[in-house]
Amino acid sequence: MTAHRTAGSTPGPTPVPATGVRPGVRRAAGALSGPLATGAALGAGELCAGLLRPGARPVTVVGGAVIDSTPAPVKEWAIATFGAADKVVLQLGVVVVLIGCAVGLGLLSSRRRVPAVLGAFLFGAAVAVIALSRPASTLSDTVPSLVAGVAGAGALWWLSGRLRPVGGAGSVPAPTGASPWTPVREEGAAPIGPRTGPAGAAASTGAAEFDRRGFLAAASVTAAASAGAGLLGRRLSDSGAAEAEAARDAVSLPAPDLPAGPLPAGIDPPVTGLTPFITPNRDFYRVDTALTVPRVDATTWRLRLHGLGMSREVTLDYRNLLRRELVERDITLTCVSNEVGGPYTGNARWIGVRLAELLREAGVRAPSEGGPADQLISRSVDGMTIGTPVEAVLDGREALLAVGMNGEPLPFRNGFPVRMVVPGLYGYVSACKWLEELELTTFAEVDAYWVRRQWAAEAPIKTQSRIDTPRPFARVGAGTVAVAGVAWAQTRGIERVEVRVDDGPWQEAVTADVPHTDTWRQWFVEWRAEPGSHRLEVRATDGTGDTQTPERVGISPDGASGWHSVVVTVE
Ligand SMILES: Nc1nc2c(c(=O)[nH]1)N[C@H]1C(S)=C(S)[C@@H](COP(=O)(O)O)O[C@H]1N2
Ligand SMILES: [Mo]
């Protein structure tokens, strides 16, 4: 058999039999068995990950690895193009590429079974290796991918078995130039299916038709089993999530010892379309590399604090943290990937523990006080590393280990149970979610995740202002039109906002009161709009007296700058 195959297969096109055979059907079946086997692999992987850890799902592993190795410009483009859907698009992309490879393996399996099956297994094994190389992975994270590889290989073996010519090999000598893998039939319509009996069919027709009915049955069983395993796996992951959900629901945060107090009067001026001062949790932007949101159990959560210049290592659990003095503070968070006019910024009322107090208790001194560490690395349960200047954390600003957001425990997506919030620094250098470790080190010693990807090691938030209304290309009626938005320069504060129309004179906007300098500031002007197309521009001046400059700078490596402008039509 092996000899036949070796002799019969040539690098060239498969010989086309003279009569009656439709190799196309068999090829199609072969091609189909690839995706079917992939389905089996994914179903098995899903089931296994549902039992072990949802984050170890093979597609998630590959997606995560793609995220980690994607060059920054491509990542920016993806965030800019797909916004919050970027992760869905990525996972779809992984699946599409996978199906492409699967079709290839399937086609191969109908001609060369062993290499194809081996290939399928190696695919799973490769994903297992990737799983192991992901940050914060454990050996058990390889299991779903390995199981997926075995399931995929098994399914492919089984399906390709149905593709073999019925009785072709041993019973009838294959005609010259043909192999048992390239069916040749000399007569017209032949009986199809196993009922005829493999040897009989081949003998009576002198041909090697494959077992179509058998293939169809095997394909159906594979598809059904894959779907079943997949759904069951999903169920298991969801019930795990439900448990974590329940654990979070059971958390009740103590009232803050230092409440933020009522918001100043005049916040939220009544202008339709203006961003509210406090961003509700459900509307808060989300930026992270996690394909599945980590659902950390607060009851087993620990924070480890160690490193240079600490008199002792400290470990805290959630209850220790909640027993400390809790501060409530309105702080605006901003992502470095926020383009001028972009949406990746939000303002919340955080509750947390003062990070500076915690560090000082452990003997940490700022570099300006002679401390040896200038960088604080925060590490999350999913292996993210974020580097924050120790100087910034200890300079008196309200840097928090936050546990609460707008009156409830942090939502999972925003870092439950504990995250960092440091006013005045972009999120990627300050706002580590799902925090589990703080290490004092130096910038010379450690490059954090994004710094290794060419983003700046230090990134204070740049002064920005944004027009929320009217929207770009809006059509508005002539007369008085409210132009409004927000401006931010966390820790410096916003002193003044100005608007101009069509390069005319700058007009000072009314600015709403703010509790302090760590939040954005709402502003509005009344514009006497005349018919035509107009360009509105905004610029802000921060608390140090610096006014935003017009030059547009992109988000990389340390944040965008320039004036936001909006073109509208007045009718
Ligand atoms: N563990 C972890 N923390 C993270 C990130 C991440 O990818 N992983 N992204 C950071 C970035 S870039 C930003 S802008 C903020 C966003 O916080 P949010 O999703 O709560 O708005 O989280 C930061 N913390
Ligand atoms: Mo960010």
Side-chain angles (χ1 to χ4, degrees):
M1 192 162 137
T2 316
H4 276 263
R5 197 176 79 204
T6 314
S9 47
T10 61
T14 323
V16 178
T19 49
V21 186
R22 286 177 296 156
V25 176
R26 196 167 156 279
R27 273 175 69 88
L32 184 66
S33 56
L36 280 167
T38 306
L42 291 179
E46 191 76 23
L47 179 57
C48 202
L51 288 164
L52 291 170
R53 196 172 76 84
R57 202 178 269 144
V59 175
T60 305
V61 165
V62 176
V66 172
I67 288 182
D68 284 354
S69 56
T70 302
V74 179
K75 204 159 348 195
E76 282 160 33
W77 169 84
I79 292 176
T81 314
F82 304 116
D86 60 342
K87 296 195 174 79
V88 177
V89 172
L90 170 70
Q91 303 212 48
L92 275 178
V94 170
V95 169
V96 166
V97 170
L98 198 61
I99 289 177
C101 298
V103 168
L105 275 182
L107 283 171
L108 179 66
S109 77
S110 64
R111 306 187 54 218
R112 310 199 55 184
R113 199 176 176 198
V114 174
V117 168
L118 206 64
F121 173 73
L122 287 179
F123 217 103
V127 176
V129 170
I130 296 174
L132 204 56
S133 72
R134 304 238 50 222
S137 64
T138 60
L139 206 57
S140 70
D141 288 345
T142 61
V143 175
S145 303
L146 289 175
V147 168
V150 169
L156 196 60
W157 177 262
W158 192 40
L159 290 165
S160 59
R162 311 302 103 188
L163 291 175
R164 299 158 79 194
V166 177
S171 50
V172 180
T176 335
S179 78
W181 304 86
T182 51
V184 172
R185 202 164 60 198
E186 272 134 24
E187 287 160 25
I192 299 162
R195 301 272 158 70
T196 334
S204 65
T205 61
E209 175 55 275
F210 79 101
D211 176 5
R212 286 193 208 187
R213 225 174 269 179
F215 178 80
L216 266 181
S220 314
V221 170
T222 305
S226 314
L231 287 175
L232 187 60
R234 264 297 142 99
R235 267 252 173 118
L236 287 168
S237 315
D238 288 351
S239 73
E243 259 170 52
E245 211 92 47
R248 179 180 170 274
D249 288 346
V251 169
S252 71
L253 293 181
D257 303 284
L258 300 167
L263 291 170
I267 259 172
D268 288 326
V271 178
T272 351
L274 171 62
T275 300
F277 180 72
I278 297 280
T279 314
N281 288 354
R282 64 170 182 284
D283 297 335
F284 210 91
Y285 81 94
R286 174 187 164 203
V287 171
D288 56 57
T289 58
L291 280 174
T292 45
V293 171
R295 283 164 196 271
V296 179
D297 184 348
T299 56
T300 56
W301 175 86
R302 295 282 182 284
L303 173 68
R304 185 172 160 241
L305 243 139
H306 63 110
L308 273 185
M310 277 187 54
S311 48
R312 58 192 175 92
E313 174 167 334
V314 177
T315 303
L316 282 167
D317 65 18
Y318 195 57
R319 296 176 59 199
N320 299 152
L321 210 59
L322 295 191
R323 267 196 233 113
R324 298 182 62 97
E325 185 176 64
L326 292 178
V327 179
E328 188 177 39
R329 181 95 173 166
D330 301 326
I331 299 169
T332 299
L333 212 66
T334 306
C335 182
V336 71
S337 293
N338 192 53
E339 303 277 359
V340 172
Y344 301 123
T345 179
N347 184 50
R349 193 154 256 220
W350 308 93
I351 296 174
V353 164
R354 285 183 171 135
L355 183 53
E357 278 177 17
L358 217 66
L359 294 182
R360 293 219 184 266
E361 275 173 32
V364 176
R365 283 169 302 139
S368 62
E369 302 158 339
D374 61 3
Q375 177 171 228
L376 177 68
I377 288 280
S378 42
R379 227 175 245 110
S380 73
V381 300
D382 63 339
M384 170 57 65
T385 53
I386 284 181
T388 310
V390 174
E391 197 66 52
V393 172
L394 296 180
D395 72 0
R397 72 184 81 193
E398 288 283 17
L400 299 180
L401 290 187
V403 292
M405 182 177 182
N406 293 329
E408 53 172 303
L410 291 176
F412 286 110
R413 58 203 293 278
N414 303 103
F416 183 84
V418 180
R419 77 173 302 168
M420 297 245 300
V421 175
V422 184
L425 305 178
Y426 286 118
Y428 85 103
V429 289
S430 68
C432 190
K433 306 193 274 189
W434 315 295
L435 179 69
E436 69 171 7
E437 186 187 334
L438 287 170
E439 181 182 358
L440 285 139
T441 175
T442 62
F443 281 103
E445 198 66 37
V446 181
D447 281 342
Y449 182 93
W450 290 109
V451 178
R452 271 179 262 138
R453 289 158 177 81
Q454 273 63 63
W455 292 81
E458 300 204 37
I461 294 174
K462 296 179 181 175
T463 303
Q464 265 300 320
S465 48
R466 183 179 78 191
I467 300 170
D468 294 337
T469 182
R471 307 289 305 157
F473 310 112
R475 298 181 158 269
V476 297
T480 304
V481 171
V483 179
V486 287
W488 59 87
Q490 293 92 314
T491 67
R492 301 180 298 280
I494 292 293
E495 188 174 291
R496 185 168 64 245
V497 176
E498 298 160 291
V499 174
R500 72 174 181 183
V501 183
D502 301 329
D503 298 322
W506 288 102
Q507 180 192 344
E508 189 164 342
V510 178
T511 43
D513 284 342
V514 278
H516 45 67
T517 54
D518 291 343
T519 71
W520 57 21
R521 188 164 195 173
Q522 298 161 309
W523 59 265
F524 67 93
V525 292
E526 288 186 347
W527 169 39
R528 314 244 353 121
E530 287 173 11
S533 172
H534 300 286
R535 189 160 66 111
L536 307 166
E537 281 175 301
V538 65
R539 70 176 186 191
T541 300
D542 73 11
T544 71
D546 282 344
T547 301
Q548 277 182 262
T549 49
E551 295 77 36
R552 280 292 186 112
V553 170
I555 58 178
S556 180
D558 64 356
S561 61
W563 297 338
H564 186 214
S565 68
V566 161
V567 173
V568 297
T569 305
V570 180
E571 292 169 327

